[in-house]
Each structure stands twice: as structure tokens, then as C-alpha cells.
């Protein structure tokens, strides 16, 4: 079928090859950081500030971000009814969810941020409102826990409260504080969550004893009316809730409202009065293949992941804020250099003589000077010596980036030296190439023939320029393609904000997701540039085009 | 009045080191309207150099040394190049180049190449459609699949099609004279016949009437030309009608050239062709006496020393003092 459409066949053929190349590149990109030491270990070893639980949480978060672990839903069976209204009737999660102000959402928000005491009061108000709306009563106790370090209260050393947020449930229970009193505790800072408990503090206090309250415990009203406390057993293989204490009849039914944990989804089976099913999300380490599939999925969605060092900034954000600088640095140099170089080269080829004799050696010389040498020379002469131009940075410190005249003039001023270090090299490379091609084309039979037929000079020049241009076009497209990752040295010399600098710092800090994202971006641009050249040459050069149609 | 006249025309190449290579020396001939002059000679004898010189466009390193060229009575050498380009080339003198395979710009369609020639000579006179129609009409005469060829790039054409396209483009402006430089040398016998046929068709249809036909194949010239000039080492050594030259050559070189010709006559198998001993002289050096003398069987002491001038022998021009 495609035989009749050589152009479509050509594009598809190329496209498939490039897609395959891309796939291989992505695979290599995926496996490289997984060959050596554990990237998460490397990152953690560089972050000395965090220890204990916080570090563990961070580690879990990193592993999740890097695709090493997955949260799997696990069904947990528990004999209880969580939501009860004022008349002691169960409220299904669905009803609660539809009611608008969902407590869980509020709590989840709280979970993810740090609150001051006033915020806590706001929460209390919210809960109160909700409860009134629902016909629920405000609980007497609101437990606040979490904090900076592991909550570990040594009963024998009651005065040991150096870490302020270590106000645990035990403490609150022990002191028999009310909600308002809790609020007035010095340094209360909720940053993990809220749990609501029964009014009968003493009963709970006795039973809870040595349990760490960091993991969720639930007060559950049994069918019999008995109240018990359940806790997740922590077993990923056979997850279930274990009854850890009975609250007894001392707990006032009306005061029990609800308990909500962090990563628990309630999935109440309506037909089962006795047994509701709790579905939990539990972190489980992925297999390498699973990680690979997950990585491919991320790439397909255009998600480059999250930076580990600049957590929780996404790689996409970092890259997209760096790329404009890189493009702004290189694109003008490449485009202007290309036009300038090619025009000079064509002129040299056509005019020869003195012009050529001066231009050609100069271009060769410029082209062979390393970029960093020109860059450093420029900094030395114009920034250090004469002080005309700034030595580093992308714009003045006192200017705010944005579409303002002040910013644009500042950026343009700071751009002059980097431009001057890039432009001559690219332009001279193009000029030498164009000169050689032009001289070759001038000697070809068709130019001579056109001359003997008296074809006007302009037309002959156009022949030469067009035919000599084809290989130069490849140079341009490749220049644009490699541009994204290509100006690292320039960015380093001029401390220019760009992808090169971002990648360099990522390499220095083992920020694998950022390295992977940057590498992927460079790969994509190079591949796209190559594909474009392939297709362009196919359409512009009849010699290739004729080959397509088999003519 | 003759259409084209060359008087004692000499051409030289200027080398990088300043020395001169005299590739064409003392060329004189006249062409009447309707006449076809064949120029023959071995490779490197200066045929192509002469052609470049005849068109009036000497592209360095080729330069005029001396002599004159008259086109329709008007002197050509010394006129401004732009004038020659606009008024002489393709209108008065047109070229069919050697090797059509690289005479066509590979990145332009044949119709655009033809259009470029028209546009270069007729600025603003005719509209595009009419120009295309003219090109189309001319290509119809060439026995080609006109629409296909016009819309093709040169790489898509066969050698025969390319050569015929070149002929079509060269004769677009109905030139008074055509200089065909070995138009058939790279072609097989069948294609060669087609191309020659096309040239004859165009002559018959009065697209052009006068022609200089250059080739190293003498039998072909006998078919085509009214007169033949034989060149050796940059000089015309003998010029006469084709009958005279083919059947009774007078100059030793013409004779040798004729006997070196391979033919399909009886007993020709196993007969070693008679090659001419030796090699042509180095044109960069000064040559004393007859240029052919070192290879000539009939050379005498006299002709080895004396520069040979054109003599009229048996109604033809011969550059040999011993010719009878």
C-alpha cells in the first residue's frame, strides 16, 4: 500500500528508526543510575541534617519518587464501624464524601503542612461546624502529635521534654488536659495530623501505655456497643488490625466521632455489618522490570520525575526554567553565526583573491581556538581589565526576571560577552565549510554550462549557494539540536544560568532524576534535529528525493 | 558575409607559477551560413580549449593571446563580458557541452533550468506561461516524453534524455551557430544515433543551421560535417571537405589518424591497430619546427627546424611543408 506513497513511506521509515533509537536511549538512561551504588543511599549520605524517623520518611519519599517503591492497596479486615452520627448510626464513607466538607481532606491538608496554634483553632472550628452540620458532637479530646524527632517519652524521666513538639498523647492524657489546654501548651506545632479520641481519657491512658502513637490507632465501636482500640499490625504480608485494648463501657458513645489515619482509604462493604474492609496503601519495593515499566510510563506522560536534591521541585520545572537561558544563550549565536559565516564563505568562494586570502586563514584560526579560551580571554580583557562588561551571571542582581524593559536590557548587557565567545567559532566553522563547498560547486559542469549559455550571474550564484547550502543546512540543524546540552563550558565560565549549569550541579550532587531528565532532553533534541535534517534533505535535495521514488 | 570567423586565434592557460601553456595556436577558419565544420583530433589536442575560446567567454585561467573572432561581422574579443553574455551567448553562439551528465544542475528541474536561460536573455519581455509553452514546443522536437522530462531532475533522466535535454536548452533561443563539444562521446551507439538524429532534426527544422561539431570520432564526422579540421597539439594541421580528409588525407598526422581508426572491415580481427608512436609535445615548452615532427614518419631536417605555416595543397589547407 505504501509503495504508492514514497514520501509517507520515507517519513515512516525514518520515524521508526528514530523512535527505536530513542527507545534504546531511554533504556540506557534508565539503567545507568541503577548499575552502581544505590542512588538513594548516595543522596542520603550527602544529606547529613536528617536522622531517625524524618530521614526514614525522606528515604521512603525519595524511593517513591525514584520509582523504587510502589504503594500497593492491601485489603485489611476489621470488625468495626468507623463513622457514627449523633444517633449512633453508621455513616458510610460515600455519604461523608458527598457531604462537601470532607474531614479527611481537611486532615490530609493538615498532614502535609505545618500549622501554627491559630491554625489549629481554625481546624477545631471547622470540625465543630462539620460536626454540627452532620449531627456529630465535637470530641473532647484532640490529640496532637508528631514533631521534629522521634516521639519517645521516657516515663521515668518526666522532665525530659527538651523537644517541644514531643507532646504526645501520653502526655496529654497524663496531664488530663482539655482541648483548649492543649492549645495553650508552649510550642505546639502540628505537623502530622490530628486524631480524635474519646472523652474518657483515663481509660485510654491506661490501656495505651507503651504503644507508639506515631502509627495509627483507632477507636472502634463494636456492634455490641463495646469500644476497643485497634492498631495496624505493620505486617505487609498479612495486614490486619489487631485489637490492642478495650475501652470498656466507660467511654461515652456520643463522644466518639471518627478516627482517620494518613494513608487509609475506607472502603466499606455495605452488606457486611460486622466486617468492613479497610484498604491500605503500603509501600512495596518494585522489581527492576516494574521500575522500568514505571519509568517508561513516566516518560510517556512527559513526567521527568522529582529532583532528589532540590526535593520536592520537579525535574520538569527545573529544566524548563533552565532551558530558556540555554536557548537564549545559544540560539542567537548559532543563527547569526550561521548566516554570517555562510555569507562570508560564499563570498570568499566567489570572489577569491585577497578577500579569500585574508578571510580563510582567519576563519581557520578562529575555528581552532577552544571556546573556553576565547571566553576566558573576553572575561579577562573586558570584565577584569576594562570593566566594561560584567564577568558573570545572566542579569543584574537588582533586577527581577520578567517582561520588563529593565530586565531585558540587563539580560542583553550580560549576554554580550557569552555571545562574543560563541559566535566567532560557529561562524568561522560555517564560513570554512561554505567556502570549500562553494569552490567545489563553482567548478562543476553545470556552472560552466550555465555560463556558456549566458545565464545571468545572479542565477548562477543562486545555483551555487543553494547547492552548497545543503550540507550547511545539516550543520545548522545539528547545531540547534546539540545546543541544549552544548554550552556547558560557556555557562561555567560566565556563571550563566542554564541547563549546563543545572546538569553540572546535578552530577556533582548525584541528583539522578535531574541528570536523567537533562540527558533525556538533550537526546530528544538531538534526535529531533537529526530527523528534521533527514527529512529536509530528503525534500530539498532531488538527488535524495529521486532515490525515494525509485526513479 | 560569413557567420563566424576566427583569425589567427591563439589561446593560452596561465599556470599558477606564471608560465603559459599555449593550448590553441593560430586558429583560422570561416563558417558560412548552413555549414557544418567538424573538428577532430586526439584527446588533449586543444579541441575543448578552442571551444571555450570561440564563445568569447574566456574563463580564467584560459586567456586570449592574440587573434580575432568575428560573429556576424562584429568583433567578439574586447567586447564587455556582460554584452557578450546578453547578446552573443545562446543567441548567436550556443554550446552543447561535453558530458551532459554534469551539465545540468542536480537541484533544479529541467523546466526551471530552461526557464533560467530564457529569463536571463529576455528580461520582462514575455510572461512565464508563454515561456513555458516555448520550452515545451522545443522539447517536443526532441522526441522526448516532454512533460515527464520537463518536470524531472537530471538524476531521474537516462543519459540519452539528459543529452537531448541539454540540446533542447542550448537551442532554445534559435542560435545562429551551435558549437557541439563531443555531444555523443559518453553514449552508447544506439543513444548516439538518437542524439545525432535529434541534431539533424533541429537542422532540418531550421532551429539552427550552422554548427561546429567536435569529436574524436572521424567516421562520425564524415556523416555530419561538410568540412573537417584536424587539430594536433593546439594547431589545425589540415582542413578540407570531409571527403578530402577521410579519403585522401595529406598531412601525415591525418593519415596516421585515419589508419589508426578501428573499422569493421574484413580481416580486421587480430589486426593490431596502428597506433601513432610517441606522445604529443608538452605545450608548456617552446616548440621549434613542426609540432608533429617528433612522431612523424616522413619528417625531414627542414620541418624539424622550421615553423610550419598553412599551405594550400589540393584545394585544402595543410600545415606541412612536405605535403603534396
Amino acid at each position: 500500500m505504501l509503495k504508492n506513497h514514497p514520501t509517507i513511506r520515507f517519513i515512516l521509515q525514518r520515524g521508526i528508526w528514530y523512535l527505536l533509537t530513542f527507545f534504546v536511549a531511554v533504556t540506557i538512561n534508565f539503567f545507568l543510575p541503577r548499575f552502581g551504588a544505590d542512588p538513594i543511599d548516595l543522596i542520603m549520605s550527602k544529606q547529613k541534617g536528617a536522622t531517625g524517623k524524618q530521614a526514614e520518611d525522606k528515604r521512603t519519599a525519595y524511593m517513591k519518587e525514584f520509582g523504587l517503591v510502589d504503594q500497593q492497596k492491601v485489603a485489611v479486615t476489621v470488625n468495626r464501624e468507623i463513622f457514627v452520627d449523633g444517633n449512633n448510626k453508621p455513616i458510610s464513607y460515600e455519604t461523608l464524601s458527598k457531604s462537601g466538607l470532607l474531614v479527611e481532606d481537611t486532615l490530609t491538608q493538615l498532614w502535609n503542612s505545618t500549622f501554627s496554634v491559630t491554625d489549629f483553632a481554625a481546624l477545631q472550628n471547622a470540625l465543630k461546624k462539620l460536626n454540627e452540620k452532620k449531627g456529630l458532637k465535637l470530641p473532647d479530646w484532640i490529640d496532637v502529635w508528631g514533631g521534629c524527632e522521634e516521639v519517645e517519652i521516657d516515663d521515668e524521666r518526666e522532665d525530659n521534654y527538651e523537644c517541644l513538639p514531643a507532646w504526645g498523647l501520653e502526655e496529654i492524657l497524663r496531664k488530663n488536659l482539655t482541648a483548649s489546654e492543649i492549645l495553650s501548651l508552649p510550642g505546639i506545632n502540628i505537623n502530622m495530623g490530628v486524631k480524635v479520641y474519646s472523652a474518657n481519657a483515663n481509660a485510654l491512658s491506661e490501656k495505651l501505655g507503651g504503644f507508639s502513637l506515631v502509627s495509627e490507632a483507632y477507636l472502634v465501636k463494636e456492634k455490641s456497643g463495646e469500644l476497643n482500640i485497634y492498631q495496624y499490625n505493620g505486617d505487609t504480608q498479612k495486614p490486619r488490625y489487631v485489637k490492642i485494648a478495650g475501652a470498656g463501657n466507660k467511654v461515652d458513645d456520643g463522644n466518639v466521632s471518627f478516627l482517620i489515619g494518613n494513608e487509609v482509604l475506607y472502603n466499606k462493604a455495605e452488606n457486611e455489618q460486622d466486617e468492613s474492609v479497610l484498604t491500605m496503601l503500603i509501600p512495596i519495593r518494585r522489581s527492576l522490570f516494574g521500575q522500568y515499566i514505571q519509568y517508561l510510563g513516566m516518560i510517556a506522560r512527559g513526567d521527568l520525575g522529582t529532583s532528589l536534591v532540590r526535593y520536592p521541585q520537579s525535574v520538569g520545572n527545573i529544566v524548563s526554567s533552565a532551558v530558556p537561558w540555554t536557548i537564549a544563550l545559544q540560539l542567537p549565536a548559532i543563527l547569526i553565526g550561521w548566516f554570517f559565516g555562510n555569507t562570508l564563505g560564499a563570498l570568499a568562494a566567489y570572489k577569491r583573491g585577497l578577500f579569500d586570502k585574508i578571510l580563510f586563514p582567519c576563519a581557520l584560526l578562529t575555528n581552532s581556538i577552544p571556546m573556553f579560551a576565547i571566553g576566558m580571554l573576553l572575561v579577562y580583557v573586558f570584565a577584569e581589565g576594562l570593566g566594561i562588561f560584567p564577568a558573570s551571571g545572566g542579569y543584574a542582581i537588582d533586577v527581577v526576571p520578567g517582561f520588563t524593559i529593565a530586565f531585558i536590557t540587563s539580560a542583553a548587557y550580560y549576554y554580550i560577552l557569552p555571545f562574543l565567545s560563541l559566535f566567532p567559532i560557529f561562524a568561522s566553522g560555517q564560513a570554512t565549510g561554505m567556502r570549500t563547498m562553494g569552490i567545489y560547486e563553482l567548478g562543476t559542469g553545470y556552472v560552466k554550462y550555465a555560463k556558456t549559455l549566458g545565464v545571468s550571474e545572479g542565477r548562477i550564484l543562486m545555483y551555487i549557494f543553494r547547492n552548497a547550502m545543503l550540507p550547511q543546512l545539516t550543520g545548522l540543524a545539528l547545531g540547534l539540536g546539540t545546543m541544549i546540552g552544548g554550552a556547558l563550558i560557556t555557562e561555567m565560565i560566565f556563571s550563566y544560568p542554564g541547563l549546563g549549569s543545572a546538569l553540572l550541579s546535578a552530577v556533582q550532587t548525584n541528583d539522578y532524576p535531574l541528570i536523567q531528565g537533562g540527558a533525556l532532553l538533550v537526546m530528544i533534541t538531538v534526535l529531533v534535529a537529526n530527523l528534521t535534517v533527514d527529512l529536509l534533505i530528503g525534500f530539498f535535495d532531488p538527488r535524495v528525493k529521486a532515490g525515494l521514488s525509485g526513479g | 558575409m560569413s557567420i563566424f570567423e576566427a583569425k589567427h586565434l591563439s589561446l593560452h592557460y596561465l599556470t599558477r607559477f606564471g608560465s603559459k601553456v599555449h593550448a590553441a595556436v593560430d586558429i583560422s577558419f570561416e563558417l558560412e551560413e548552413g555549414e557544418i565544420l567538424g573538428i577532430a583530433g586526439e584527446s588533449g589536442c586543444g579541441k575543448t580549449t578552442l571551444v571555450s575560446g570561440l564563445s568569447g567567454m574566456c574563463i580564467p585561467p584560459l586567456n586570449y593571446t592574440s587573434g580575432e573572432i568575428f560573429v556576424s561581422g562584429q568583433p567578439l574579443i574586447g567586447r564587455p563580458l556582460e554584452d557578450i553574455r546578453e547578446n552573443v551567448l545562446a543567441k548567436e553562439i550556443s554550446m552543447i557541452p561535453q558530458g551532459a551528465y554534469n551539465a545540468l544542475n542536480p537541484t533544479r528541474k529541467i523546466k526551471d533550468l530552461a526557464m533560467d536561460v530564457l529569463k536571463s536573455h529576455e528580461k520582462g519581455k514575455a510572461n512565464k506561461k508563454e515561456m513555458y509553452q516555448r520550452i515545451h514546443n522545443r522539447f517536443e522536437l526532441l522526441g522526448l516524453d516532454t512533460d515527464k522530462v520537463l518536470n524531472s531532475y537530471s538524476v531521474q533522466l537516462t543519459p540519452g534524455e539528459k543529452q537531448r535535454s541539454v540540446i533542447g536548452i542550448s537551442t532554445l533561443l534559435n542560435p545562429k551557430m551551435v558549437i557541439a563539444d563531443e555531444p555523443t562521446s559518453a553514449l552508447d551507439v544506439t543513444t548516439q544515433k538518437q542524439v545525432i538524429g535529434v541534431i539533424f532534426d533541429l537542422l532540418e527544422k531550421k532551429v539552427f543551421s550552422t554548427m561546429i561539431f567536435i569529436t574524436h570520432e572521424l567516421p562520425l564526422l564524415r556523416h555530419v560535417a561538410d568540412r573537417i579540421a584536424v587539430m594536433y597539439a593546439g594547431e589545425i594541421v589540415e582542413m578540407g571537405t570531409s571527403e578530402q580528409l577521410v579519403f585522401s588525407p595529406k598531412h601525415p598526422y591525418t593519415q596516421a589518424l585515419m589508419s589508426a581508426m578501428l573499422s569493421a572491415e574484413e580481416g580486421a580481427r587480430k589486426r593490431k591497430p596502428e597506433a601513432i608512436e610517441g606522445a604529443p609535445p608538452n605545450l608548456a615548452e617552446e616548440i621549434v619546427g613542426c609540432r608533429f615532427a617528433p612522431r612523424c614518419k616522413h619528417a625531414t631536417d627542414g620541418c624539424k627546424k622550421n615553423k610550419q605555416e598553412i599551405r594550400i595543397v589540393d584545394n585544402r589547407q595543410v600545415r606541412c611543408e612536405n605535403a603534396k
Side-chain angles (χ1 to χ4, degrees), chain B residues 152-169:
Chain B
S152 298
Y153 294 98
S154 73
V155 279
Q156 293 165 300
L157 302 176
T158 63
E161 284 173 326
K162 270 184 227 176
Q163 187 63 60
R164 278 184 278 175
S165 304
V166 166
I167 292 172
I169 294 173

Side-chain angles (χ1 to χ4, degrees), chain A residues 344-408:
Chain A
L344 278 186
L347 273 177
Y350 193 70
K351 286 203 186 295
R352 306 298 296 266
L354 194 65
F355 182 67
D356 181 38
K357 283 199 175 80
I358 294 170
L359 181 94
F360 184 56
C362 284
L364 271 185
L365 184 73
T366 319
N367 199 25
S368 52
I369 300 175
M371 191 160 59
F372 63 84
I374 293 191
M376 281 174 350
L377 200 71
L378 285 172
V379 169
Y380 181 73
V381 174
F382 290 102
E384 308 283 327
L386 299 174
I388 309 172
F389 295 111
S392 66
Y395 50 91
I397 308 164
D398 54 345
V399 191
V400 184
F403 269 103
T404 57
I405 294 167
F407 174 69
I408 290 167

